[in-house]
């Protein structure tokens, strides 16, 4: 972020930058961090701010309170349930733009999950690069139970993590998974004791923030492209990307540290 820019205020989500690590917190704990108009608006703003943050090296996405997110705010839906189309189009216009920008950030995004993660909340965490869940957390899909289809990129990010058949079953059967079950099917990467969740997730995010940021960004880009790219194109892209990244200061430091048998000091360039 340039010195001239002033971040727009947000209420549903907070953002704090610590030595290149952005800590993004879903901040409506008393309401279960629901997805509503305010959340979607704030999410787009925060994602845009992250794109403009100079020196950004990693992101930790977490939530205040007992639950990660209860998903869509049904209390907001109920009074206008006969005319939901325009409301959904308005909310998703903001939410989906924010998701595109967050998930394509050229830095690792770590997510810490506690309590319940439902609906769009599951899609939000599934799109992150590494997901750490508390042992008592539960992840569920209730879209079909409500007569809804999914949003928030669910069909893409859940397929990427779980595979098409497993992700489809999760949606159709409105499953509720324990943290261990979610880890077994690839929806989360690590399960830790509830009282260790925030510390473990922060430590992981800081470890990545101290890593070779340019390489991380290119690895993310290659994997995002892989499902829709031919093998020949992938091979050429990997070759050219490796050649470009091998010329970075971090790559030179990585080689030197390995040969000199010391811990590398990456600078993110």
């Amino acid at each position: 972020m340039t010195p001239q820019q002033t971040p727009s205020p947000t209420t549903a989500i907070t953002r704090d930058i610590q030595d290149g690590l952005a800590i993004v917190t879903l901040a409506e704990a008393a309401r279960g961090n629901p997805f509503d108009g305010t959340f979607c608006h704030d999410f787009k703003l925060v994602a845009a701010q992250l794109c403009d943050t100079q020196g950004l090296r990693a992101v930790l996405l977490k939530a205040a309170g007992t639950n990660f997110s209860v998903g869509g705010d049904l209390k907001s839906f109920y009074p206008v349930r006969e005319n939901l189309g325009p409301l959904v189009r308005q909310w998703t216009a903001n939410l989906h733009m924010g998701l595109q920008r967050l998930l394509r950030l050229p830095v690792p995004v770590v997510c810490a999950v506690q309590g319940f993660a439902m609906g769009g909340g599951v899609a939000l965490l599934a799109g992150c690069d590494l997901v750490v869940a508390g042992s008592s957390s539960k992840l569920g899909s209730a879209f079909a139970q409500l007569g809804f289809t999914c949003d928030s990129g669910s069909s893409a990010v859940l397929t990427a993590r779980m595979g098409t058949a497993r992700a489809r079953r999760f949606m159709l059967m409105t499953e509720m998974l324990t943290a261990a079950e979610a880890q077994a099917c690839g929806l989360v990467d690590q399960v830790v004791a509830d009282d260790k969740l925030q510390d473990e997730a922060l430590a992981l995010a800081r470890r990545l923030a101290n890593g070779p940021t340019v390489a991380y960004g290119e690895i993310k880009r290659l994997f995002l492209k892989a499902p829709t790219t031919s093998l020949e194109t992938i091979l050429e892209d990997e070759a050219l990307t490796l050649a470009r990244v091998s010329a970075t200061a971090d790559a030179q430091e990585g080689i030197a540290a390995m040969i000199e048998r010391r811990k590398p000091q990456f600078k993110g360039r």
Side-chain angles (χ1 to χ4, degrees):
M1 183 175 299
T2 62
Q4 292 76 23
Q5 292 175 316
T6 301
S8 300
T10 56
T11 57
I13 305 171
T14 64
R15 180 186 62 111
D16 181 39
I17 309 295
Q18 302 177 0
D19 298 323
L21 172 62
I23 299 177
V24 176
T25 306
L26 311 189
E28 294 197 296
R31 300 177 57 215
N33 303 309
F35 282 35
D36 59 9
T38 300
F39 176 90
C40 295
H41 172 268
D42 288 0
F43 190 84
K44 183 178 75 169
L45 286 180
V46 169
Q49 290 165 7
L50 291 173
C51 291
D52 293 332
T53 299
Q54 294 183 3
L56 184 68
R57 300 188 65 181
V59 176
L60 172 61
L61 176 64
K62 63 177 188 173
T66 304
N67 298 308
F68 180 74
S69 175
V70 296
D73 184 7
L74 298 184
K75 291 182 179 179
S76 296
F77 288 171
Y78 181 72
V80 294
R81 61 191 181 280
E82 296 180 358
N83 191 32
L84 272 179
L87 182 63
V88 168
R89 279 190 287 272
Q90 176 186 337
W91 288 11
T92 54
N94 286 325
L95 176 63
H96 288 187
M97 177 56 72
L99 285 167
Q100 289 180 57
R101 290 174 173 172
L102 177 73
L103 302 184
R104 292 187 181 277
L105 285 173
V107 299
V109 180
V110 176
C111 185
V113 181
Q114 79 277 13
F116 284 96
M118 299 295 297
V122 175
L124 175 57
L125 68 89
C128 296
D129 300 304
L130 292 168
V131 181
V132 184
S135 58
S136 68
S137 60
K138 296 182 183 297
L139 295 80
S141 168
F143 287 111
Q145 183 177 335
L146 299 169
F148 282 12
T149 53
C150 56
D151 68 352
S152 306
S154 297
S155 55
V157 295
L158 294 182
T159 294
R161 278 193 165 271
M162 305 166 75
T164 302
R166 185 67 187 88
R168 183 173 57 226
R169 189 175 93 205
F170 177 68
M171 282 286 171
L172 290 176
M173 301 304 294
T174 63
E175 293 182 333
M176 182 71 75
L177 303 178
T178 65
E181 291 169 337
Q183 184 181 33
C185 67
L187 188 51
V188 305
D189 300 294
Q190 184 179 357
V191 176
V192 301
D194 291 335
D195 61 352
K196 301 292 186 183
L197 172 64
Q198 300 304 328
D199 288 342
E200 292 283 350
L202 180 59
L204 177 58
R206 282 179 172 159
R207 170 186 169 187
L208 291 168
N210 289 325
T213 314
V214 176
Y216 287 157
E218 292 294 351
I219 289 169
K220 287 185 61 171
R221 184 185 64 79
L222 289 167
F223 274 89
L224 279 171
K225 289 181 59 178
T228 58
T229 306
S230 69
L231 176 61
E232 292 77 12
T233 301
I234 289 173
L235 290 171
E236 183 65 4
D237 196 352
E238 287 184 347
L240 295 178
T241 300
L242 179 58
R244 183 171 65 252
V245 172
S246 66
T248 64
D250 279 350
Q252 305 304 312
E253 168 65 6
I255 294 172
M258 183 68 71
I259 297 300
E260 296 166 11
R261 297 186 178 182
R262 59 176 175 81
K263 184 177 180 180
Q265 299 295 316
F266 295 120
K267 302 299 182 182
R269 57 181 185 271

